[in-house]
Amino acid sequence: MATAVNDGQRRFLQTMMSQGILEGSVTRKLHKHCCEIHKVHYRHDQLDEFIKNINTHLQPLFMEIRKGMSEDDGQQYYALINLAETEITRMASDYTETELELFKKALDLVLESESGIVSSTDILNVADQLQPKKMKKKEAEQVLQRFVQDKWLCEKEGEYILSTRCIMELEQYIRNMYQDLVKECNICHNIAIQGQTCELCAARIHLPCAAKYFQGRDDPCCPHCREFWPHEIPAVHRTEPSMPPPASTPKTRHRHRE
């Protein structure tokens, strides 16, 4: 039976609601901070138990704090996920119907590409095909920036990918709607939009998973068909982000940073 939510867990949840998604090391710092501020017993190895108790109380609300991984650099993330809706309609309270249509078009382009990357030009070219009304280029550019600010997309030098938040929140939607396009990573078995693909059997591996799996191997072989892996083995570089702002503060390739 779950214990009552304490003040430290409430503060933690408020910050998660404000931020939507946090990198793993930031989440661990937040866990410690919330426990210390509210004089709650703290152990660095009990973050999962701390979150598990919060999730028990979130269950009737069809919400959950879930752990995921960035396809870009392998960083661990924690996100507050809405389990009640698996469709893009969950974004309807923040965007107009036409803006949602632009997001769907961007999603189509990303998932139809082999690299999981799409240029801003390609997205803007479909802006005048939107329903129920067309969107001017300038307006479409502004909406794309909102998608980036709200952590649905990541952008670098005019190229867009799906953010970690987007993949975590819309995973079931992506699986359902793009089942012929999306493959699972052969290592972690999560959906792999960006990654390396075996030239023989088409097995796909996230770049961070490939970096760990092939580390130290002189003769890397595909984990599925055992044939030689011809791709350059990537290196994963980690950073240590700072603490998020207080919960009361509004949210305001080439690899993309989440």
Side-chain angles (χ1 to χ4, degrees), residues 76-177:
Q76 190 179 77
Y77 282 80
Y78 289 82
L80 183 62
I81 304 297
N82 183 341
L83 302 176
E85 298 176 271
T86 59
E87 303 291 331
I88 288 181
T89 51
R90 73 175 62 191
M91 300 165 63
S93 60
D94 298 317
Y95 303 100
T96 67
E97 186 177 352
T98 305
E99 290 169 346
L100 285 179
E101 187 67 20
L102 180 66
F103 182 80
K104 289 180 183 179
K105 294 291 187 183
L107 198 58
D108 289 344
L109 291 169
V110 169
L111 294 172
E112 288 169 0
S113 70
E114 292 186 8
S115 64
I117 306 171
V118 63
S119 71
S120 59
T121 301
D122 288 339
I123 299 176
L124 295 175
N125 283 342
V126 300
D128 61 356
Q129 305 170 18
L130 301 177
Q131 298 294 331
K133 66 176 183 178
K134 298 178 181 179
M135 188 179 290
K136 294 181 180 179
K137 180 180 177 181
K138 186 65 176 179
E139 182 184 0
E141 289 175 339
Q142 293 172 345
V143 174
L144 283 175
Q145 285 307 305
R146 283 182 57 204
F147 292 151
V148 172
Q149 291 168 5
D150 293 342
K151 303 176 185 176
W152 292 107
L153 298 177
C154 294
E155 182 272 338
K156 184 177 181 181
E157 297 178 355
E159 293 181 327
Y160 289 85
I161 62 170
L162 304 186
S163 70
T164 303
R165 176 194 182 185
C166 178
I167 295 171
M168 290 177 69
E169 288 220 39
L170 298 180
E171 178 179 359
Q172 196 56 52
Y173 174 83
I174 292 171
R175 286 181 182 274
N176 292 342
M177 299 299 294

